[in-house]
Amino acid sequence: NAGVTQTPKFRILKIGQSMTLQCAQDMNHNYMYWYRQDPGMGLKLIYYSVGAGITDKGEVPNGYNVSRSTTEDFPLRLELAAPSQTSVYFCASCAVNTEAFFGQGTRLTVV
Amino acid sequence: AQSVTQLGSHVSVSEGALVLLRCNYSSSVPPYLFWYVQYPNQGLQLLLKYTSAATLVKGINGFEAEFKKSETSFHLTKPSAHMSDAAEYFCAVSESGAAGNKLTFGGGTRVLVKP
């Protein structure tokens, strides 16, 4: 039982490049979330999903896109990387009455 | 809209001393409240949660928190700090419902434990 798995763990992007951060969970959770963590700011919600085929914007969605074609996977797409997207990204999942379980994070640097 | 304020971005305690981390929240509905801990280069791990049952909640590693509705607070305490408690701690609030536990986080408090 792996929980929430994020790949890659680290990535350096050049301005304007694109990439997909992968997130997979094996707990059959309906709810999945993407957060970004910046120093002193806590975690901010980027996008979330309440089930396969359903996604919605969080607090800071600009510059990102998501999809949820299966219950297990919730990839986050950066289309045109900008320095402001340098951050640590966390994926999380939960069921209706459970706490959120977090992945180990992806540290992204845009140069 | 919900929000969380953690007083103090850094706290330094001596080993064996009381750990007190402050959290105040605002929520338009009865909240679910959480404390998470993050060790260096790790994800977040749940310490404890309040979901409208007992107001004094006990968590892992000897931590506990008390929900005080009148003060809109959910402060985290541990009677005796251990070196292994050095980490960053996040308070979070959720208006659990159709979006599951969509969390709003405080800014975090980094705890340093001195020998």
Side-chain angles (χ1 to χ4, degrees):
Chain A
N1 189 343
V4 179
T5 302
Q6 290 183 237
T7 56
K9 287 186 169 51
F10 304 93
R11 184 73 185 267
I12 298 175
L13 277 183
K14 294 184 178 178
I15 294 172
Q17 286 186 320
S18 62
M19 77 164 293
T20 299
L21 282 67
Q22 301 291 345
C23 175
Q25 54 93 7
D26 61 0
M27 297 173 282
N28 201 33
H29 287 166
N30 283 334
Y31 304 101
M32 295 189 74
Y33 313 87
W34 274 105
Y35 294 90
R36 60 176 287 170
Q37 182 182 24
D38 301 301
M41 303 296 289
L43 282 76
K44 303 288 187 186
L45 183 65
I46 305 171
Y47 270 95
Y48 67 98
S49 169
V50 300
I54 306 170
T55 63
D56 207 347
K57 295 178 180 179
E59 187 180 356
V60 290
N62 291 344
Y64 307 95
N65 277 299
V66 293
S67 59
R68 184 94 182 272
S69 57
T70 67
T71 299
E72 294 78 19
D73 300 299
F74 191 42
L76 177 72
R77 178 84 177 163
L78 284 70
E79 290 294 350
L80 290 170
S84 61
Q85 294 177 305
T86 294
S87 188
V88 182
Y89 292 83
F90 287 99
C91 179
S93 73
C94 72
V96 172
N97 290 316
T98 71
E99 70 271 20
F101 292 83
F102 285 80
Q104 295 292 291
T106 295
R107 187 175 297 273
L108 175 67
T109 302
V110 181
V111 296
Chain B
Q2 51 194 1
S3 66
V4 177
T5 301
Q6 290 183 240
L7 187 61
S9 58
H10 291 80
V11 167
S12 181
V13 299
S14 297
E15 192 174 19
L18 172 72
V19 179
L20 170 60
L21 305 182
R22 299 180 187 274
C23 172
N24 289 89
Y25 70 92
S26 69
S27 177
S28 57
V29 299
Y32 288 11
L33 293 160
F34 305 82
W35 276 99
Y36 281 86
V37 60
Q38 184 182 33
Y39 299 102
N41 300 314
Q42 298 284 317
L44 277 71
Q45 177 183 0
L46 182 71
L47 272 180
L48 49 81
K49 62 182 178 181
Y50 167 78
T51 56
S52 75
T55 57
L56 183 63
V57 182
K58 294 188 183 299
I60 62 171
N61 301 339
F63 284 93
E64 64 180 35
E66 186 172 9
F67 172 67
K68 292 187 176 181
K69 184 178 179 179
S70 61
E71 299 177 7
T72 61
S73 70
F74 190 55
H75 301 330
L76 180 72
T77 60
K78 181 174 180 178
S80 176
H82 190 272
M83 296 300 291
S84 61
D85 295 326
E88 190 158 19
Y89 294 79
F90 293 94
C91 182
V93 64
S94 164
E95 296 176 1
S96 187
N101 279 318
K102 191 171 59 163
L103 296 167
T104 298
F105 285 87
T109 299
R110 189 172 297 278
V111 172
L112 172 66
V113 182
K114 299 177 292 185

